Amino acid sequence: MRDFRNHLLIQIELLRCAISHEELSERLGDVPERCVARYIAGKTHLRKDDFEKIAKALSIDTQALAQAWALSLGVRLPEKDAVSRMLDLAYRHWKRHSRLAALRVPPSPSPMTVIRAKYADLLPRQTPPLWFNSYANKKPTREGCERFARAYEMLVEFVHAHQSQRNVGAMHGLSGIRAAQLMRHAAYTWAKSEGIDLIYDKSVPFKNDCKLVKNLYAGLRFFAQRQFDELSAQADAETRAGGSTQCHF
């Protein structure tokens, strides 16, 4: 089976040339680096903006990087819009072969985690005068206010008491999944009232992202060493071949 992730690692290692891993890390930046590491680990698929940042860090055109990645896999891409085509193939491969894809692992931490990491000081412990809208009625209703209040209480427990989703759900007679759904709804409702956008916030890492980044560079070093070993073996073979063809008198 062709491994899109490892072939991307190989291309990064081949194309970085004189750029050290430390400089590559600096060029990528914290957030794109973590996103690339999560893709290499199979946690999520690779997004176009992160792919573009890889190309920029390597000082190479995005189309050229996409073509190099495709050729290493034996895939032919059209010259036009090679990036979108390659990322679509990579996404299909990830979705088909990743066990996590079926679980719909989010590309970023939950909105509750983002609030706990960045906006805990802004989140009041007392329930604000907000409500959950229904599809039929956008105005506040008693039911909508009560539903928000219950979900907001759980959000406060998650953020300020540092309880897990499972524990919050158990304390309210709910499953962890259901508690997470309600807290997510409350988080977005509160954030919208404060003018905070939680949807595209990638700045907060997952708890294991640091380990995944270390594994990313361990993989790059592995391919660098393998490339060095192959070149050394080739040089040794050429040296032996040259010696065997010398004339002896």
Side-chain angles (χ1 to χ4, degrees), residues 141-193:
T141 62
R142 179 179 179 180
E143 181 184 2
C145 291
E146 290 176 350
R147 288 179 60 238
F148 173 79
R150 288 194 297 270
Y152 189 84
E153 181 183 353
M154 290 189 285
L155 177 63
V156 168
E157 291 169 354
F158 180 89
V159 173
H160 291 302
H162 289 265
Q163 295 289 339
S164 67
Q165 295 177 7
R166 180 179 298 178
N167 287 345
V168 170
M171 287 187 292
H172 291 266
L174 300 171
S175 68
I177 295 176
R178 180 55 180 161
Q181 290 173 340
L182 292 170
M183 287 190 291
R184 187 177 296 109
H185 196 176
Y188 283 130
T189 301
W190 171 80
K192 184 178 180 180
S193 72

Side-chain angles (χ1 to χ4, degrees), residues 3-206:
D3 193 326
F4 280 60
R5 292 171 291 152
N6 279 343
H7 278 270
L8 178 60
L9 270 184
I10 292 171
Q11 291 309 307
I12 292 174
E13 187 57 38
L14 290 174
L15 295 170
R16 70 180 178 87
C17 299
I19 302 171
S20 67
H21 290 158
E22 291 76 12
E23 185 179 355
L24 179 64
S25 174
E26 185 175 343
R27 289 188 179 191
L28 279 173
D30 180 58
V31 175
E33 182 180 59
R34 285 192 276 106
C35 292
V36 173
R38 296 194 78 241
Y39 169 68
I40 296 300
K43 299 293 185 181
T44 187
H45 61 91
L46 186 65
R47 296 175 178 271
K48 187 175 182 180
D49 59 337
D50 295 317
F51 182 79
E52 290 172 345
K53 286 167 184 172
I54 294 174
K56 183 178 180 181
L58 296 172
S59 300
I60 187 174
D61 180 72
T62 54
Q63 300 289 330
L65 178 58
Q67 291 287 1
W69 188 12
L71 286 175
S72 71
L73 288 158
V75 175
R76 295 181 65 88
L77 295 179
E79 293 184 5
K80 186 177 180 181
D81 204 18
V83 174
S84 296
R85 175 62 176 159
M86 188 61 206
L87 290 177
D88 181 60
L89 290 173
Y91 172 72
R92 292 183 184 183
H93 179 271
W94 174 79
K95 189 175 181 180
R96 186 167 58 247
H97 297 289
S98 175
R99 178 184 62 84
L100 296 174
L103 302 177
R104 296 186 179 182
V105 176
S108 300
S110 70
M112 301 86 76
T113 300
V114 174
I115 290 175
R116 184 159 68 182
K118 295 181 64 176
Y119 306 109
D121 292 342
L122 298 178
L123 186 77
R125 294 177 183 270
Q126 296 297 321
T127 304
L130 299 171
W131 60 91
F132 287 158
N133 293 327
S134 65
Y135 291 107
N137 189 356
K138 301 299 182 181
K139 296 181 179 181
T141 62
R142 179 179 179 180
E143 181 184 2
C145 291
E146 290 176 350
R147 288 179 60 238
F148 173 79
R150 288 194 297 270
Y152 189 84
E153 181 183 353
M154 290 189 285
L155 177 63
V156 168
E157 291 169 354
F158 180 89
V159 173
H160 291 302
H162 289 265
Q163 295 289 339
S164 67
Q165 295 177 7
R166 180 179 298 178
N167 287 345
V168 170
M171 287 187 292
H172 291 266
L174 300 171
S175 68
I177 295 176
R178 180 55 180 161
Q181 290 173 340
L182 292 170
M183 287 190 291
R184 187 177 296 109
H185 196 176
Y188 283 130
T189 301
W190 171 80
K192 184 178 180 180
S193 72
E194 295 292 322
I196 298 172
D197 186 0
L198 299 176
I199 297 177
Y200 299 108
D201 195 320
K202 296 181 180 180
S203 61
V204 177
F206 282 89

